[in-house]
Amino acid sequence: AGLLSELTDNPVLVTTTSPIPRAHDHSTPRRRQVLEAITRRRDVTLVEVTTDFRSCWDNDHSHRQGYPVYVNEATDTHLYAAALAIAGYALGCTHLFLASETEVQENSEWNGTFVGHPHMMYATCIQRALAALLEPAGLHLSSMTAALHSGHVQELLWRRYADLSDLQYSCWRLGAGEATCSACSQCLRLALCCMALGRNPERKGIDLEKMLRFARSWTPRDFPPETQTLPRPPI
């Protein structure tokens, strides 16, 4: 939102609301507050697409089959890209952008097979494939953040767009009435990035006391030695 507002007048922001059973991140009051606040702080048009797509499957199926990602982690990109493309086409927007970071571009070769990052569905190679499908409709899909590590994105947010920093909404494990869970690796990573910049993570809803209690018991995930060279999320 910050980048787009500098690059063009009245950009269109597209968000997809599609809850998953047992998760609350798409239905909390905090999310509604964030969506309402961004339209007050920037001259943007907000389009919200609602769908039951993410509740139509058993999200744990892939985990039970031994894969490290849930079903939605492989399919969300396509849902969000579809919502973005439809809204963009309907409103006459020709340039579409999905969030992505450098980490998800990583891949490695293992036993003769190329293995992508667990979140590779956001990688530029996937986005370029989707872009090729959309090009005949006059739509151009890419990412403005694919060259940046997630830590760089955090620093950009806090340094250049400080007035938007409190609107970050990135925790998917929060409870029904929470702004963040303050007790997961995602909250820990965001809080540490924030404190490294001399800022207060409580501004984005992180409970520091709760997060520090979680940090005492947190340890890096233990991966089998034969998979140590595979790409994986930070923390």
Side-chain angles (χ1 to χ4, degrees):
L3 285 167
L4 283 172
S5 296
E6 289 197 72
L7 296 174
T8 186
D9 295 329
N10 191 236
V12 176
L13 307 181
V14 179
T15 187
T16 303
T17 298
S18 184
I20 292 177
R22 303 190 309 277
H24 303 282
D25 56 320
H26 279 219
S27 56
T28 64
R30 165 67 176 167
R31 188 171 191 269
R32 306 317 309 174
Q33 294 166 4
V34 167
L35 296 181
E36 189 274 333
I38 191 64
T39 61
R40 287 189 285 102
R41 301 189 196 182
R42 290 292 188 276
D43 184 15
V44 299
T45 297
L46 177 67
V47 175
E48 182 176 6
V49 178
T50 59
T51 172
D52 63 357
F53 181 73
R54 297 169 86 234
S55 63
C56 291
W57 57 65
D58 175 4
N59 204 43
D60 295 335
H61 172 74
S62 52
H63 261 221
R64 289 198 299 271
Q65 302 302 313
Y67 294 97
V69 296
Y70 292 96
V71 173
N72 76 287
E73 293 180 87
T75 60
D76 278 354
T77 315
H78 306 304
L79 171 62
Y80 300 154
L84 180 64
I86 293 169
Y89 188 81
L91 295 173
C93 302
T94 57
H95 288 72
L96 316 176
F97 303 95
L98 279 174
S100 180
E101 290 87 31
T102 291
E103 289 93 334
V104 302
Q105 326 299 334
E106 296 177 3
N107 60 75
S108 57
E109 185 177 0
W110 188 46
N111 292 338
T113 300
F114 283 102
V115 180
H117 188 278
H119 296 159
M120 64 168 287
M121 301 309 288
Y122 292 94
T124 51
C125 60
I126 299 296
Q127 294 201 29
R128 290 189 68 178
L130 294 175
L133 296 175
L134 295 172
E135 189 174 5
L139 300 175
H140 306 276
L141 176 68
S142 61
S143 174
M144 292 189 295
T145 55
L148 303 176
H149 287 278
S150 57
H152 297 146
V153 175
Q154 290 300 305
E155 185 164 358
L156 184 68
L157 173 64
W158 284 94
R159 291 190 184 278
R160 191 171 184 87
Y161 308 113
D163 66 313
L164 300 179
S165 58
D166 62 308
L167 300 184
Q168 182 170 10
Y169 185 74
S170 301
C171 176
W172 59 88
R173 294 185 177 179
L174 74 173
E178 296 179 321
T180 69
C181 77
S182 303
C184 69
S185 59
Q186 173 80 332
C187 286
L188 176 60
R189 182 173 63 87
L190 296 180
L192 292 177
C193 287
C194 180
M195 289 189 290
L197 294 169
R199 308 300 173 89
N200 186 355
E202 291 180 334
R203 179 170 165 78
K204 63 178 67 183
I206 292 178
D207 183 326
L208 270 179
E209 182 179 349
K210 184 177 179 181
M211 189 274 295
L212 290 172
R213 288 200 304 268
F214 166 76
R216 291 181 62 186
S217 61
W218 177 86
T219 56
R221 184 177 174 184
D222 186 20
F223 292 93
E226 64 271 18
T227 67
Q228 289 295 322
T229 60
L230 294 182
R232 56 181 52 89
I235 297 194

